[in-house]
Structures are given as structure tokens and as C-alpha cells.
Amino acid sequence: MANIVSQIADKVRPVGVSTNYGEPVEVGDQTLIPVSIGWFGFGAGGDDENGGGGGGGASIPVGAYVRRPGQDLQFEPNLISLLAVSIPTIWVTGKALSKVIRALKK
């Protein structure tokens, strides 16, 4: 089992900033640097005879840094991704507020 964990660690170690910031791309006279939110996780378990493990990850594009000639670097968000990420947060906040309000009424 320790062998599996060390193999996973060796593969994950080189992952860094390049996971969330892409390579600059030239589009016409503009330079774009894509930005995303990324995360991953792994787990393993077992005993001397049986064991198992797994892992997963996700990446959500949130926008890009854009450099135009004669202008400073600006961040332009990907509104569709930001809405998709914020909808669950808004839903959970609404559920929590409704429970708090219900508790205060009692």
C-alpha cells in the first residue's frame, strides 16, 4: 500500500502553478493567459492482503488575463463558469439562512 501512495506522490509533485495558469496564447494583437481553479484528491486503504485506492480532480476555467497593446494587463472573467460555480454556493447559503430564520421564529 505504501508503494501506491509513493507512486501517486511522484506523479502529483510536478503539478503546480501550471495547473491553474495556462501558457500565454497570441490572438491577433492580444496575449491571453487562461486561468482556472483546479483541485484533486486521492485516497487509499486496505490491510495486508487486500487494498484499493482512487483519485479524482476537476478544473474550472474562470477567465483569462488579457494584455492588449497600449493597455495594462486585465483579468476578464468567464461569466458562464462563474455562474456555474456560484449557483451551488447561493443555494447552500439560502438553505442555511432559511434554517436560521426558522430557528429564530421558534
Side-chain angles (χ1 to χ4, degrees), residues 85-100:
V85 169
S86 63
I87 287 172
T89 305
I90 293 168
W91 183 80
V92 168
T93 304
K95 290 296 254 185
L97 282 175
S98 69
K99 289 185 179 189
V100 168

Side-chain angles (χ1 to χ4, degrees), residues 7-86:
Q7 288 176 357
I8 291 172
D10 289 339
K11 291 184 181 189
V12 173
R13 198 169 288 134
V15 175
V17 174
S18 63
T19 303
N20 294 327
Y21 294 95
E23 294 294 322
V25 178
E26 298 288 331
V27 178
D29 60 349
Q30 303 178 64
T31 303
L32 305 174
I33 302 170
V35 180
S36 69
I37 296 174
W39 62 93
F40 53 90
F42 299 95
D47 57 17
D48 291 337
E49 296 177 18
N50 299 313
S59 180
I60 299 172
V62 293
Y65 283 105
V66 179
R67 182 181 307 271
R68 293 183 179 93
Q71 294 183 3
D72 290 334
L73 188 68
Q74 295 178 342
F75 180 76
E76 294 188 9
N78 179 346
L79 296 178
I80 295 171
S81 291
L82 291 176
L83 282 173
V85 169
S86 63

